[in-house]
Amino acid sequence: MVAQTHPDLAESFEEGMKFVANKDYIKAAELFKKIAEQGHAEAQFYLGLMCEGGQGVVKDEQQAVSWWTKAAEQGHLLAQNNLGLMYEQGLGVTQDYQKAVTWFRMAAEQGDAEAQYSLGFMYANGEGVSRSYQQAMFWLSKAAEQGDVAAQFKVAKLNLGSIYSPDNDVKQDFIEAYKWFRIAGVDGDENAKDGLEIAESYLTPSAIEEAQRRANEWIATKSNADL
């Protein structure tokens, strides 16, 4: 049998996505498997999703990891992030925080907000890496700027300095803490109100006004970018 060329693989993948849209998961999985075996990263990723969720195939987390690894090694950032989650949680593989960090970092460096949050979280907790609040702040800030609510809340807490943790070496900045708590609250974080009250208790009225201005400016900019 003659191997399919890359344009043929792309056409087959699109056909497979039509099967998915029509909820014909068995045909989709069969087609994805054919082109995944020929190295099509997107098909490998979707086949991994189907194995992980048991759609069109028997649920098999180990197979999901196998296909995501193939896609991730080709630079597929969603596969990289999913692998990080699997290693972090020990799903389909032996739990391994160091491998989780490796995959999260690859996806984070490609700009994936979820991976940036996860990598920052692991730095904050010292899981798979030496604890570093500075590195946590670096990655969480990137995710926060992309609109990740959990990252926004965490960035706000890190800006509280030693109030967050006695060994937190992030420079204390109550204006920035207030700003991010407010943004996280607007974006739906139910715990942001308590943090906002803590930050506010350390600020003068003029400083609160500045924090509100920064938050409003960020929210307006983000809203315009989403239009």
Side-chain angles (χ1 to χ4, degrees), residues 30-50:
E30 289 173 350
L31 189 52
F32 285 152
K33 189 170 189 294
K34 287 180 182 178
I35 55 177
E37 288 172 343
Q38 295 184 61
H40 192 280
E42 198 72 8
Q44 291 167 345
F45 170 69
Y46 273 94
L47 186 56
L49 286 179
M50 298 182 86

Side-chain angles (χ1 to χ4, degrees), residues 13-76:
F13 176 75
E14 290 302 320
E15 187 180 346
M17 291 303 292
K18 289 177 183 177
F19 285 134
V20 171
N22 292 326
K23 298 185 179 180
D24 192 341
Y25 299 122
I26 293 176
K27 285 185 179 178
E30 289 173 350
L31 189 52
F32 285 152
K33 189 170 189 294
K34 287 180 182 178
I35 55 177
E37 288 172 343
Q38 295 184 61
H40 192 280
E42 198 72 8
Q44 291 167 345
F45 170 69
Y46 273 94
L47 186 56
L49 286 179
M50 298 182 86
C51 289
E52 192 259 347
Q55 290 182 313
V57 292
V58 176
K59 181 179 174 68
D60 189 332
E61 291 174 341
Q62 289 182 330
Q63 276 296 303
V65 168
S66 176
W67 287 115
W68 283 337
T69 300
K70 293 178 188 299
E73 287 173 346
Q74 294 192 66
H76 196 291

Side-chain angles (χ1 to χ4, degrees), residues 43-196:
Q44 291 167 345
F45 170 69
Y46 273 94
L47 186 56
L49 286 179
M50 298 182 86
C51 289
E52 192 259 347
Q55 290 182 313
V57 292
V58 176
K59 181 179 174 68
D60 189 332
E61 291 174 341
Q62 289 182 330
Q63 276 296 303
V65 168
S66 176
W67 287 115
W68 283 337
T69 300
K70 293 178 188 299
E73 287 173 346
Q74 294 192 66
H76 196 291
L77 72 95
L78 295 179
Q80 291 168 346
N81 180 62
N82 283 8
L83 272 181
L85 292 170
M86 298 299 269
Y87 277 106
E88 180 191 24
Q89 298 171 28
L91 300 173
V93 289
T94 301
Q95 189 177 53
D96 189 325
Y97 288 143
Q98 289 184 333
K99 286 185 178 178
V101 166
T102 296
W103 290 114
F104 282 143
R105 190 184 304 280
M106 288 184 184
E109 287 175 347
Q110 290 197 69
D112 184 74
E114 186 178 349
Q116 290 168 345
Y117 169 77
S118 295
L119 183 57
F121 185 85
M122 296 190 83
Y123 268 113
N125 289 282
E127 295 176 342
V129 288
S130 298
R131 174 174 283 157
S132 171
Y133 292 115
Q134 294 289 338
Q135 281 295 305
M137 185 60 128
F138 177 80
W139 289 109
L140 289 166
S141 293
K142 288 182 177 294
E145 290 289 355
Q146 291 197 67
D148 187 292
V149 181
Q152 291 167 350
F153 183 75
K154 196 78 169 176
V155 165
K157 289 179 73 175
L158 285 169
N159 272 300
L160 293 176
S162 59
I163 295 172
Y164 168 79
S165 176
D167 60 341
N168 177 21
D169 58 352
V170 171
K171 184 180 178 182
Q172 202 166 50
D173 189 333
F174 293 115
I175 291 179
E176 280 295 295
Y178 184 105
K179 166 192 163 182
W180 285 110
F181 278 131
R182 180 147 191 246
I183 291 168
V186 169
D187 285 345
D189 192 298
E190 296 179 356
N191 297 314
K193 183 181 178 182
D194 292 338
L196 199 62

